[in-house]
Each structure stands twice: as C-alpha cells, then as structure tokens.
Amino acid sequence: AQTVTQSQPEMSVQEAETVTLSCTYDTSENNYYLFWYKQPPSRQMILVIRQEAYKQQNATENRFSVNFQKAAKSFSLKISDSQLGDTAMYFCASARGNKLVFGAGTILRVKS
Amino acid sequence: NAGVTQTPKFRILKIGQSMTLQCTQDMNHNYMYWYRQDPGMGLKLIYYSVGAGITDKGEVPNGYNVSRSTTEDFPLRLELAAPSQTSVYFCATWTGGGYGYTFGSGTRLTVV
C-alpha cells in the first residue's frame, strides 16, 4: 500500500524565520504528483504547492518551496519569512492514480 | 461558482441513529471522494466514485454507504452511528491537470 509519513507531529517557528516540514512517501509508480495542503483553524483544506515527479526543478510558490528528492522519496516543505497566518496543520499527500494518500499531518505554530 | 458544498457543517448524533452527509459539486468533475479526518491520523478514504452510477470502497468503508445517481451529488450515509464514527468528514473532487483535489468545507460529526 502507498504510504506517506510525516515524522514531525508539531513544529514551532518565530515570525519572520524559516521552517522546514518533512515528508517521505512510498510509491511504485514512475510518474506521480506530490502535494502540500494547509488546514487552518477554519478547517478548510487549501493547496499550498504541488510537484510533478518527472520535473527535476523544485516547485516554488511565493514564500513556499519544496525540496524534492526523488531517489530518497522525500518531499519537504520550506516556509520562508513565516507569518502568523501560516499557523495551521500541514498535510503532505501523494497521488496514486486519481486518489490522494495523506500523511498524518504536522501542526505548525508561528510565534510572535 | 460554489465548488464543493457540504451540509451540514456540524451534527451531533446519538448512538444508533442514522444520517446522511450531503455533498454537491458544480464543476462537472467525474471523480468524487469521502474522507474522514481523525486527530494524528491524517485523512482516510472511505468511499469514492469515478462517475454517476459507479462507487467503490476506500480504506475505511465499514459503517458507511454511498450512492452516486448524478454527477453533482455524492451523499454519504451513516447507518447505526457509533462513537468510533466521531470525526471530521470531507468531500472532495478530482480537479484534474495534476492539481489534486477541490475540498468541501467539512462536516464535524459527534456521536454520543
């Protein structure tokens, strides 16, 4: 079965600093997509960033970037210049066909 | 453009009662999903559908039923509610183009 592992249940970071959330996954597919979703206290699931496995270049979206290591099956999320609004649960997910498999999530708290 | 609409947002059920969680989408997406979110467990797939009239079990289907009579609607039925079904339930559609899911806003269900 496809699995996604987030080894950090909780993280905290000072406002304006940088934090990295870890994610490893297991897949037998050659081409696939990886995602990071943000879930703030409102409970809404928000797509933060996505990565296509066949692309070597790491995806970036403003202050969010990933470190995608295909051979190691690692997909970490880096948040630069952390803001109070980044406080949320973050889920890593991998696509198996048209279904997503999610990690257990990492709670990120940004402190002022 | 409403996207994915879930109702109700909150519900308290007594043990043994039944209810239907509603999910409606206006994006004409074929693939629809039901997940449950438990603390520290991420999101687990309950049922999914690849189109009207076609449904299939996910990882945790016991205690639930679904139907898909139209492209737009994908209701989730709980029969004989149990405390183990206390959770947050998300409906989602496959957005396509490698963009993962579009989520509804979730339903928080408590069984007492």
Side-chain angles (χ1 to χ4, degrees), chain A residues 1-36:
Chain A
Q2 196 165 359
T3 58
V4 177
T5 302
Q6 294 179 249
S7 59
Q8 305 150 316
E10 295 188 29
M11 297 275 289
S12 62
V13 63
Q14 286 296 128
E15 199 174 7
E17 295 190 344
T18 296
V19 63
T20 298
L21 308 184
S22 300
C23 174
T24 58
Y25 61 93
D26 184 21
T27 181
S28 58
E29 300 186 20
N30 192 41
N31 192 24
Y32 48 91
Y33 291 92
L34 298 165
F35 305 87
W36 279 97

Side-chain angles (χ1 to χ4, degrees), chain A residues 55-75:
Chain A
K55 288 189 174 179
Q56 300 282 353
Q57 188 173 3
N58 289 325
T60 61
E61 289 287 344
N62 301 313
R63 297 182 295 107
F64 298 87
S65 61
V66 299
N67 182 5
F68 174 49
Q69 302 289 329
K70 190 172 184 179
K73 295 183 179 175
S74 171
F75 183 59

Side-chain angles (χ1 to χ4, degrees), chain B residues 24-44:
Chain B
T24 300
Q25 55 110 351
D26 63 359
M27 299 173 290
N28 202 34
H29 289 165
N30 287 322
Y31 289 76
M32 296 187 73
Y33 313 83
W34 276 105
Y35 283 82
R36 59 177 287 169
Q37 179 184 4
D38 301 307
M41 301 292 288
L43 282 75
K44 300 294 185 184

